[in-house]
Amino acid sequence: MSDEENWDIDINLIQDHNDPYWTKNLLGMLGMIDQIMRFVGHDEEEFRKQIADFMWKVVQENLNATTDPRHENEMEHCGTFPKFKGETGISHLIADAYPRSTPTIDAFNASRQP
């Protein structure tokens, strides 16, 4: 019996694919991509379909997000490029995982320290 045959799991029965963790969190998004890859990566057509469907869901779920500061002690919430409401992108998710460090941002952050 191969490892693939041991994975007799209906993932939809044990996981809520509508949970925002999968679409509004970089680690969740990467986890779902990995999961799709593991479960259907052997079937190019099904893999392409599921990845495309999932990424479209990520795009739709993040349209209202921005890279604006979330509070007065934050200069920006930008991981790669500025993102405005209604635009596609996940820069705000990248910022959660990998906050930018530039001389301007570092000076701003230092000015907020007690």
Side-chain angles (χ1 to χ4, degrees):
M1 185 182 295
S2 73
D3 287 340
E4 189 176 303
E5 292 170 320
N6 289 331
W7 285 93
D8 190 19
I9 298 171
D10 183 350
I11 198 71
N12 294 310
L13 294 177
I14 61 173
Q15 189 176 75
D16 179 5
H17 285 197
N18 293 316
D19 187 329
Y21 172 74
W22 305 113
T23 56
K24 295 187 175 193
N25 178 292
L26 188 63
L27 184 58
M29 185 183 79
L30 292 173
M32 182 59 75
I33 290 169
D34 178 57
Q35 181 175 287
I36 293 168
M37 198 177 297
R38 285 183 286 117
F39 282 102
V40 297
H42 61 280
D43 180 337
E44 181 180 358
E45 185 175 328
E46 185 63 21
F47 175 75
R48 287 175 181 257
K49 179 191 178 317
Q50 286 194 27
I51 287 292
D53 289 348
F54 175 64
M55 293 311 298
W56 184 247
K57 186 173 183 174
V58 170
V59 166
Q60 297 303 304
E61 293 290 323
N62 286 283
L63 283 173
N64 287 328
T66 72
T67 53
D68 294 337
R70 296 168 293 178
H71 48 75
E72 66 183 29
N73 290 323
E74 186 172 69
M75 183 175 177
E76 65 176 15
H77 186 64
C78 185
T80 51
F81 297 99
K83 180 189 175 312
F84 303 98
K85 192 173 186 172
E87 293 182 345
T88 59
I90 59 167
S91 183
H92 59 292
L93 300 182
I94 294 168
D96 288 339
Y98 304 101
R100 290 196 323 171
S101 178
T102 66
T104 304
I105 293 170
D106 293 345
F108 177 86
N109 289 337
S111 74
R112 298 290 193 248
Q113 299 300 316

